[in-house]
Amino acid sequence: MPLIKNVHDRHHFHGIAVAVFRVYVVLYTIEYRFPEGAVNPNTVSEYTIDSEDIVFSDAVMEGYRFDGWFAGEQRIERIPKGTDVGGDLVLQAKFTAEEYQITYHTDGASHENPAVYTVETAGALLDAEKEGYSFEGWFDAETAGERIFSLEGRTGDLEFWARFSEVT
């Protein structure tokens, strides 16, 4: 047996020293913040330093590209097992509006509508002008089709056809 000296009472004694430690695993929370209309596929809402790797899935929102989950300015893609993030985690989803192309079939007319748009583009489509003709509207098909008044609520590349009637 080793000799252990107790420095407080200055007596020597022989024996076995036993140290008792209590280890507490701290449970942290994960809060996800995202805009209305976004879908968050992540379900993990708590973690500890002993949790298995947590990999964050992309949120989805129509008309937007997902830029990542952010804690402040830091992008967070995963929490590896054994990592101490330092507390509860608030993750903000960041998105950028996708840009889409618009092709106009004008039959020789002029117009001032945008060639590119996003889901955030607002306002009515402007009329096309053609000498000797009255503008009837923009349509989503060369014949028949739906008359289109604005870009609001649309996504994807678009094609519009201008229709005219001859002024007599």
Side-chain angles (χ1 to χ4, degrees), residues 52-161:
E52 294 299 319
D53 286 3
I54 300 170
V55 178
F56 297 105
S57 298
D58 293 356
V60 177
M61 190 162 66
E62 187 174 11
Y64 292 86
R65 180 185 68 246
F66 181 68
D67 295 327
W69 291 105
F70 288 82
E73 294 300 314
Q74 181 181 2
R75 183 175 180 169
I76 307 289
E77 295 179 3
R78 62 191 296 262
I79 301 174
K81 181 177 181 173
T83 301
D84 183 0
V85 177
D88 294 337
L89 193 57
V90 177
L91 296 178
Q92 177 69 48
K94 292 190 179 179
F95 294 89
T96 301
E98 293 277 3
E99 288 191 346
Y100 303 105
Q101 301 295 314
I102 306 172
T103 302
Y104 297 94
H105 302 279
T106 62
D107 192 26
S110 62
H111 68 92
E112 295 184 15
N113 288 302
V116 175
Y117 80 103
T118 72
V119 293
E120 297 172 353
T121 303
L125 288 171
L126 302 172
D127 291 354
E129 296 179 0
K130 184 175 178 181
E131 182 90 24
Y133 291 84
S134 176
F135 182 69
E136 293 180 1
W138 293 105
F139 291 82
D140 64 0
E142 188 172 3
T143 58
E146 177 187 346
R147 185 168 180 190
I148 306 300
F149 296 93
S150 77
L151 300 171
E152 291 180 44
R154 299 183 183 280
T155 58
D157 293 340
L158 300 172
E159 276 190 273
F160 296 136
W161 283 261

Side-chain angles (χ1 to χ4, degrees), residues 41-58:
N42 295 291
T43 57
V44 177
S45 61
E46 299 176 330
Y47 73 99
T48 70
I49 197 167
D50 292 329
S51 294
E52 294 299 319
D53 286 3
I54 300 170
V55 178
F56 297 105
S57 298
D58 293 356

Side-chain angles (χ1 to χ4, degrees), residues 12-54:
H12 296 315
F13 65 92
H14 292 275
I16 297 175
V18 176
V20 177
F21 297 96
R22 288 194 174 147
V23 176
Y24 296 96
V25 177
V26 179
L27 182 65
Y28 297 112
T29 62
I30 302 172
E31 178 184 343
Y32 301 94
R33 294 183 180 169
F34 44 92
E36 185 176 332
V39 176
N40 174 23
N42 295 291
T43 57
V44 177
S45 61
E46 299 176 330
Y47 73 99
T48 70
I49 197 167
D50 292 329
S51 294
E52 294 299 319
D53 286 3
I54 300 170

